[in-house]
Amino acid sequence: MDATRQSTTGSQAETLWDGIIVGGGAAGLSAGLVLARARFATLVVDGGEPRNGPADHMHGYLTQDGLAPKEFVARGRSELGRYGGTLVRASVVEAVRTSVGTFELRLDDGRVLRSRSVLVATGLSDELPDVPGLAERWASTVHHCPHCHGYEVRGRGIAVLGNPATAMTSAVSAHLAALMRRYSSSVTFCTNGTEVGDGERRRLAAYGVRLVDAPVTRVATPAGTAGGNTVAIELGDAETVLCEAVFVAPRPVPHDAVLTQLGAAADPASGLVAVDSQGATSVPGLWAAGNVVNPRAQVVAAAGAGSTAAINMAGRLLDQELSAAVDRGRPDGGGGH
């Protein structure tokens, strides 16, 4: 197309991209696919550490149920490339919005990329309670999402570990204990310092959930069961709860540094960067999608949010080009880069 799409040398550092997407998971790759298919010059920057990377399978995504996350990402990258999208393996360490409304992103390898618009889909980290042995079993026998992993452990002994880190994690812990009861008749809620009111205790007990209040001191493999699936939840009162699966509500820590550097406003209630129904932030030309702004989004929801944001981005980019064509006083055929 014109010089705003492709530099004369074709180097990534000199190109003014139409859209740069930071994060190459479900949301980012879906957004990249939409923009590339719309024939916008599209670059995806990805550091290669997806939230669900440790998991063997993902679930709840129609037609993709049971697919390994690594295979999902590999297919997404292939599809992005098929339509001319570019992928860069790097991380963004600094982001600024210029006086003319474009964006400059500095990567950890020193390159500086420029773009007319940016979508951030960098996800989050799951901060687990500081219980020895818990992190080592993450994504094998320790899970956080019942809709992602509950069916696979149906009928087994399940323990839910309370997380008193925040009011939200405490509330989610109790909800998680109730929800897991749908998958098993043997559910123990180790409250682990979370506040559970009398009314909620009665509801959980009536629903068949056993509550224990002693603090959790360690998650271990019982003696004589090395290599098996049995997990021992050791409590401060010397009791041990044996189970085959553990669920916990982590504290979500969004990877929102790029968004905050660019001045995106936060929602005062949640503290997360605020986006509208199309994924747009308070900064013109800046969008966000997936777990970075919605910690509860499953893979399918993150992909949908990325697609929705990219369609909105395409509309804004097109509007800019229409205005530029009027200013030049001549037709601009568009389409292609």
Side-chain angles (χ1 to χ4, degrees):
M1 194 179 167
D2 58 34
T4 65
R5 295 294 179 85
Q6 182 68 49
S7 70
T8 55
T9 65
S11 71
Q12 293 170 357
E14 296 179 6
T15 299
L16 177 61
W17 297 91
D18 294 322
I20 290 180
I21 297 156
V22 187
L29 288 173
S30 294
L33 183 63
V34 169
L35 289 178
R37 281 177 52 82
R39 308 193 73 187
F40 289 106
T42 305
L43 177 73
V44 176
V45 181
D46 182 49
E49 297 182 357
R51 180 187 186 189
N52 64 352
D56 292 330
H57 306 95
M58 65 180 201
H59 295 281
Y61 198 140
L62 193 65
T63 78
Q64 305 299 317
D65 189 76
L67 187 68
K70 291 181 180 178
E71 177 62 21
F72 177 81
V73 169
R75 292 183 187 182
R77 290 174 176 171
S78 176
E79 291 176 4
L80 175 72
R82 188 188 310 163
Y83 293 103
T86 301
L87 176 71
V88 169
R89 292 295 298 271
S91 298
V92 175
V93 295
E94 185 179 8
V96 297
R97 188 169 185 266
T98 70
S99 59
V100 295
T102 59
F103 298 88
E104 292 184 356
L105 307 179
R106 184 165 63 87
L107 307 184
D108 55 359
D109 61 11
R111 282 179 289 177
V112 176
L113 304 177
R114 300 182 304 130
S115 182
R116 296 165 61 198
S117 62
V118 170
L119 183 144
V120 176
T122 41
L124 59 77
S125 294
D126 293 296
E127 187 177 275
L128 298 173
D130 186 17
V131 174
L134 191 64
E136 293 85 340
R137 292 166 173 79
W138 182 243
S140 58
T141 52
V142 176
H143 311 282
H144 79 285
C145 177
H147 302 291
C148 301
H149 306 290
Y151 187 83
E152 281 60 48
V153 298
R154 66 194 184 281
R156 302 180 189 176
I158 297 171
V160 175
L161 268 61
N163 184 358
T166 67
M168 182 198 74
T169 57
S170 291
V172 173
S173 297
H175 175 74
L176 189 55
L179 190 51
M180 294 316 303
R181 180 63 180 81
R182 296 200 55 78
Y183 298 95
S184 173
S185 60
S186 177
V187 176
T188 301
F189 180 22
C190 303
T191 60
N192 194 38
T194 58
E195 294 291 335
V196 185
D198 292 341
E200 188 65 15
R201 285 176 176 273
R202 286 193 296 270
R203 282 158 51 91
L204 289 170
Y207 201 52
V209 176
R210 177 188 175 223
L211 286 82
V212 294
D213 293 322
V216 176
T217 58
R218 189 167 72 121
V219 177
T221 300
T225 60
N229 293 323
T230 304
V231 178
I233 311 298
E234 298 179 2
L235 305 177
D237 62 0
E239 180 184 357
T240 297
V241 175
L242 298 179
C243 62
E244 295 170 275
V246 180
F247 282 77
V248 63
R251 186 176 79 88
V253 182
H255 299 159
D256 58 6
V258 172
L259 292 167
T260 57
Q261 286 177 17
L262 292 172
D267 182 309
S270 68
L272 300 170
V273 169
V275 294
D276 66 13
S277 61
Q278 306 301 308
T281 72
S282 61
V283 178
L286 178 63
W287 282 261
N291 288 151
V292 68
V293 289
N294 181 7
R296 299 182 67 179
Q298 291 181 278
V299 178
V300 64
S307 178
T308 297
I311 291 171
N312 196 245
M313 293 172 71
R316 185 176 187 274
L317 291 166
L318 176 61
D319 186 66
Q320 289 178 336
E321 292 176 2
L322 289 168
S323 297
V326 171
D327 292 340
R328 286 192 297 267
R330 62 176 177 80
D332 186 343
H337 50 82

